[in-house]
Amino acid sequence: QVQLVESGGGLVQPGGSLRLSCAASGPILRINDMDWYRQAPGKERELVATVNNGGTTNYVDFVKGRFTISRDNAKNTVYLQMNSLEPEDTAVYICYAHILNRAVVWGRYWGQGTQVTVSS
């Protein structure tokens, strides 16, 4: 069974940095987009950044210049380097991937999320 597992969340002071990781495992043939979303308490889930299997990235405006998404295709892993963190960045960060499994079926997979708290 294909799974996504995030790590790297935690508590950080304003202005600090964190690096999130999300590893895909299981019967995987190919991965297209790998994305990071986030969901703050009382708010809807929102897209943060995307990276395709060619390495092309896209960011939402509120993280441009502060966050960097990257991936290691050999490890089926996507990363999110977050710098200059602000209290407004506090949320559960959730990994998403569009994956072709060995049954040759495309599926949309989500991780369980990792908590990021920015507070002094």
Side-chain angles (χ1 to χ4, degrees):
Q1 184 175 355
V2 173
Q3 290 185 321
L4 299 180
V5 178
E6 300 102 331
S7 60
L11 173 64
V12 63
Q13 292 186 343
S17 298
L18 281 176
R19 187 188 193 216
L20 307 182
S21 300
C22 172
S25 63
I28 296 170
L29 285 179
R30 177 187 171 99
I31 304 178
N32 278 350
D33 285 5
M34 300 187 83
D35 307 338
W36 285 99
Y37 286 74
R38 70 185 187 186
Q39 187 164 18
K43 295 187 177 182
E44 293 190 354
R45 185 174 297 186
E46 59 184 359
L47 178 65
V48 175
T50 71
V51 59
N52 67 17
N53 58 10
T56 300
T57 59
N58 283 286
Y59 301 90
V60 294
D61 286 346
F62 55 76
V63 304
K64 282 182 180 178
R66 300 190 299 126
F67 292 8
T68 303
I69 189 171
S70 60
R71 66 191 279 175
D72 184 332
N73 290 332
K75 295 181 179 179
N76 290 335
T77 299
V78 62
Y79 305 96
L80 186 67
Q81 177 66 43
M82 304 186 294
N83 299 327
S84 302
L85 283 161
E86 303 167 355
E88 293 74 22
D89 295 316
T90 295
V92 175
Y93 283 72
I94 306 158
C95 174
Y96 161 87
H98 190 210
I99 295 175
L100 180 67
N101 64 24
R102 289 183 184 171
V104 198
V105 175
W106 284 100
R108 302 180 186 277
Y109 296 88
W110 296 90
Q112 81 288 353
T114 185
Q115 177 69 47
V116 171
T117 303
V118 185
S119 175
S120 56

Coordinates of all heavy atoms in Angstrom, one line a residue, residues 61-100:
D61 N 1.7 33.1 -3.0 CA 2.4 34.4 -2.7 C 2.9 34.5 -1.3 O 4.0 35.1 -1.1 CB 1.4 35.5 -3.1 CG 1.3 35.7 -4.6 OD1 2.1 35.1 -5.3 OD2 0.3 36.4 -5.0
F62 N 2.1 34.0 -0.3 CA 2.5 34.3 1.0 C 3.7 33.5 1.5 O 4.2 33.7 2.6 CB 1.3 34.1 2.0 CG 0.7 32.7 1.9 CD1 1.3 31.6 2.5 CD2 -0.5 32.5 1.3 CE1 0.7 30.4 2.4 CE2 -1.2 31.3 1.2 CZ -0.5 30.2 1.8
V63 N 4.3 32.6 0.7 CA 5.5 31.9 1.1 C 6.7 32.2 0.2 O 7.8 31.8 0.4 CB 5.3 30.4 1.2 CG1 4.2 30.1 2.2 CG2 5.1 29.8 -0.1
K64 N 6.4 32.9 -0.9 CA 7.5 33.2 -1.9 C 8.6 34.0 -1.2 O 8.4 34.9 -0.5 CB 6.9 34.0 -3.1 CG 6.2 33.2 -4.1 CD 5.7 34.1 -5.2 CE 4.9 33.2 -6.2 NZ 4.4 34.0 -7.3
G65 N 9.8 33.5 -1.5 CA 11.0 34.1 -0.9 C 11.4 33.6 0.5 O 12.5 33.9 1.0
R66 N 10.5 32.8 1.1 CA 10.7 32.3 2.4 C 10.8 30.8 2.4 O 11.6 30.2 3.2 CB 9.6 32.7 3.4 CG 9.5 34.2 3.6 CD 8.5 34.6 4.7 NE 7.2 34.0 4.5 CZ 6.5 33.3 5.4 NH1 7.1 32.9 6.5 NH2 5.3 32.9 5.1
F67 N 10.0 30.1 1.6 CA 9.9 28.6 1.6 C 10.5 28.1 0.3 O 10.4 28.8 -0.7 CB 8.5 28.1 1.7 CG 7.8 28.4 3.0 CD1 8.3 29.1 4.0 CD2 6.5 27.8 3.3 CE1 7.7 29.3 5.2 CE2 5.9 28.0 4.4 CZ 6.5 28.8 5.4
T68 N 11.1 27.0 0.4 CA 11.7 26.3 -0.8 C 11.3 24.8 -0.8 O 11.5 24.1 0.1 CB 13.2 26.4 -0.9 OG1 13.6 27.8 -0.8 CG2 13.7 25.7 -2.1
I69 N 10.6 24.4 -1.9 CA 10.2 23.0 -2.1 C 11.2 22.3 -3.0 O 11.7 22.9 -4.0 CB 8.8 22.9 -2.6 CG1 8.3 21.4 -2.6 CG2 8.7 23.4 -4.0 CD1 6.8 21.3 -2.9
S70 N 11.6 21.1 -2.7 CA 12.5 20.3 -3.5 C 12.1 18.9 -3.4 O 11.4 18.5 -2.5 CB 13.9 20.6 -3.1 OG 14.2 20.2 -1.7
R71 N 12.7 18.0 -4.2 CA 12.4 16.6 -4.1 C 13.6 15.8 -4.6 O 14.5 16.3 -5.3 CB 11.2 16.2 -5.0 CG 11.4 16.4 -6.5 CD 10.0 16.3 -7.2 NE 9.7 14.9 -7.4 CZ 8.5 14.5 -8.0 NH1 7.6 15.4 -8.3 NH2 8.2 13.2 -8.2
D72 N 13.7 14.6 -4.0 CA 14.7 13.6 -4.4 C 14.0 12.4 -5.0 O 13.4 11.6 -4.3 CB 15.5 13.2 -3.1 CG 16.7 12.3 -3.5 OD1 16.6 11.5 -4.5 OD2 17.6 12.3 -2.7
N73 N 14.0 12.4 -6.3 CA 13.2 11.3 -7.0 C 13.7 9.9 -6.7 O 13.0 9.0 -6.6 CB 13.2 11.5 -8.5 CG 12.4 12.8 -8.9 OD1 11.5 13.1 -8.2 ND2 12.8 13.4 -10.0
A74 N 15.0 9.8 -6.4 CA 15.6 8.5 -6.1 C 15.1 8.0 -4.7 O 15.0 6.8 -4.5 CB 17.1 8.5 -6.0
K75 N 14.7 8.9 -3.9 CA 14.2 8.5 -2.5 C 12.7 8.7 -2.4 O 12.1 8.5 -1.3 CB 14.9 9.4 -1.5 CG 16.4 9.2 -1.4 CD 17.0 10.0 -0.3 CE 18.5 9.8 -0.1 NZ 19.1 10.6 0.9
N76 N 12.0 9.1 -3.5 CA 10.6 9.4 -3.5 C 10.2 10.3 -2.3 O 9.2 10.1 -1.6 CB 9.8 8.1 -3.3 CG 9.8 7.3 -4.6 OD1 10.1 7.8 -5.7 ND2 9.7 6.0 -4.5
T77 N 11.0 11.4 -2.2 CA 10.9 12.3 -1.0 C 10.8 13.7 -1.5 O 11.5 14.1 -2.4 CB 12.0 12.1 0.0 OG1 12.1 10.7 0.4 CG2 11.9 13.0 1.1
V78 N 9.9 14.4 -0.8 CA 9.8 15.9 -1.1 C 10.1 16.6 0.2 O 9.8 16.1 1.3 CB 8.4 16.2 -1.6 CG1 7.3 15.9 -0.6 CG2 8.3 17.7 -2.0
Y79 N 10.7 17.8 0.1 CA 11.1 18.6 1.2 C 10.5 20.0 1.2 O 10.1 20.4 0.1 CB 12.6 18.7 1.3 CG 13.4 17.4 1.2 CD1 13.9 16.9 0.0 CD2 13.6 16.7 2.4 CE1 14.5 15.7 0.0 CE2 14.3 15.5 2.3 CZ 14.8 15.0 1.1 OH 15.4 13.8 1.1
L80 N 10.4 20.6 2.3 CA 9.9 22.0 2.4 C 10.8 22.7 3.4 O 10.7 22.4 4.6 CB 8.5 22.1 2.8 CG 7.9 23.5 2.7 CD1 7.8 24.0 1.3 CD2 6.5 23.6 3.4
Q81 N 11.7 23.5 2.9 CA 12.6 24.3 3.7 C 11.8 25.6 4.0 O 11.5 26.4 3.1 CB 13.9 24.6 3.0 CG 14.8 25.5 3.8 CD 15.3 24.9 5.1 OE1 15.7 23.7 5.1 NE2 15.3 25.7 6.2
M82 N 11.6 25.9 5.3 CA 10.8 27.1 5.7 C 11.7 28.0 6.5 O 12.2 27.6 7.6 CB 9.6 26.6 6.5 CG 8.7 25.6 5.8 SD 7.2 25.2 6.7 CE 7.9 24.5 8.2
N83 N 11.9 29.2 6.0 CA 12.7 30.2 6.6 C 11.9 31.4 7.0 O 10.8 31.6 6.5 CB 13.9 30.6 5.7 CG 14.8 29.5 5.4 OD1 15.0 28.6 6.2 ND2 15.4 29.6 4.2
S84 N 12.4 32.2 7.9 CA 11.7 33.5 8.3 C 10.3 33.2 8.7 O 9.3 33.9 8.3 CB 11.7 34.5 7.1 OG 13.1 34.8 6.8
L85 N 10.1 32.2 9.5 CA 8.8 31.7 9.9 C 8.1 32.8 10.7 O 8.7 33.5 11.5 CB 8.8 30.4 10.6 CG 9.0 29.2 9.7 CD1 9.6 28.0 10.5 CD2 7.8 28.8 9.0
E86 N 6.8 32.9 10.5 CA 5.9 33.9 11.2 C 4.8 33.1 12.0 O 4.5 32.0 11.6 CB 5.3 34.8 10.1 CG 6.3 35.5 9.3 CD 5.6 36.1 8.0 OE1 4.4 35.9 7.8 OE2 6.3 36.9 7.3
P87 N 4.3 33.7 13.0 CA 3.2 33.0 13.7 C 2.0 32.6 12.8 O 1.4 31.6 13.1 CB 2.7 34.1 14.7 CG 4.0 34.9 15.0 CD 4.7 35.0 13.6
E88 N 1.8 33.4 11.7 CA 0.7 33.0 10.8 C 1.0 31.7 10.0 O 0.1 31.2 9.3 CB 0.5 34.2 9.8 CG 0.0 35.5 10.4 CD 1.0 36.2 11.2 OE1 2.2 36.0 11.0 OE2 0.6 37.0 12.1
D89 N 2.2 31.2 10.1 CA 2.6 30.0 9.4 C 2.2 28.8 10.3 O 2.4 27.6 9.8 CB 4.1 29.9 9.1 CG 4.5 31.0 8.1 OD1 3.8 31.2 7.1 OD2 5.6 31.6 8.3
T90 N 1.8 29.0 11.5 CA 1.4 27.9 12.3 C 0.2 27.1 11.7 O -0.8 27.7 11.4 CB 0.9 28.4 13.7 OG1 2.1 29.0 14.4 CG2 0.4 27.3 14.6
A91 N 0.4 25.8 11.6 CA -0.6 25.0 10.9 C -0.1 23.5 10.9 O 1.1 23.3 11.3 CB -0.8 25.4 9.5
V92 N -1.0 22.6 10.6 CA -0.6 21.3 10.2 C -0.2 21.3 8.8 O -1.0 21.7 7.9 CB -1.7 20.3 10.5 CG1 -1.3 18.9 10.0 CG2 -2.1 20.2 12.0
Y93 N 1.0 20.8 8.5 CA 1.5 20.8 7.1 C 1.4 19.3 6.6 O 1.8 18.4 7.2 CB 3.0 21.2 7.1 CG 3.1 22.7 7.1 CD1 2.8 23.4 8.4 CD2 3.4 23.5 6.0 CE1 2.9 24.8 8.5 CE2 3.5 24.9 6.1 CZ 3.2 25.5 7.3 OH 3.3 26.9 7.4
I94 N 0.7 19.2 5.4 CA 0.3 17.9 4.9 C 0.9 17.7 3.5 O 0.8 18.6 2.6 CB -1.2 17.9 4.8 CG1 -1.8 18.2 6.2 CG2 -1.7 16.5 4.3 CD1 -3.3 18.7 6.1
C95 N 1.5 16.6 3.3 CA 2.1 16.2 2.0 C 1.1 15.6 1.1 O 0.2 14.8 1.6 CB 3.2 15.3 2.3 SG 4.0 14.6 0.9
Y96 N 1.2 15.8 -0.2 CA 0.3 15.2 -1.2 C 1.2 14.8 -2.4 O 2.1 15.4 -2.7 CB -0.7 16.3 -1.7 CG -1.4 15.9 -3.0 CD1 -2.5 15.1 -3.0 CD2 -0.8 16.3 -4.2 CE1 -3.0 14.7 -4.3 CE2 -1.4 15.9 -5.4 CZ -2.5 15.1 -5.5 OH -3.0 14.7 -6.6
A97 N 0.8 13.6 -3.0 CA 1.5 13.2 -4.2 C 0.5 12.4 -5.1 O -0.4 11.8 -4.6 CB 2.6 12.2 -3.8
H98 N 0.8 12.6 -6.4 CA 0.0 11.9 -7.4 C 0.9 10.8 -7.9 O 1.9 11.0 -8.5 CB -0.3 12.9 -8.6 CG -1.3 12.4 -9.6 ND1 -1.3 12.8 -10.9 CD2 -2.3 11.6 -9.4 CE1 -2.3 12.2 -11.5 NE2 -2.9 11.4 -10.7
I99 N 0.4 9.6 -7.6 CA 1.3 8.4 -7.8 C 0.7 7.3 -8.6 O -0.5 7.0 -8.5 CB 1.6 7.8 -6.4 CG1 2.4 8.8 -5.6 CG2 2.3 6.5 -6.5 CD1 2.7 8.4 -4.1
L100 N 1.5 6.7 -9.5 CA 1.1 5.6 -10.3 C 1.6 4.3 -9.6 O 2.9 4.2 -9.4 CB 1.7 5.7 -11.7 CG 1.4 4.5 -12.6 CD1 -0.1 4.5 -13.0 CD2 2.3 4.5 -13.9

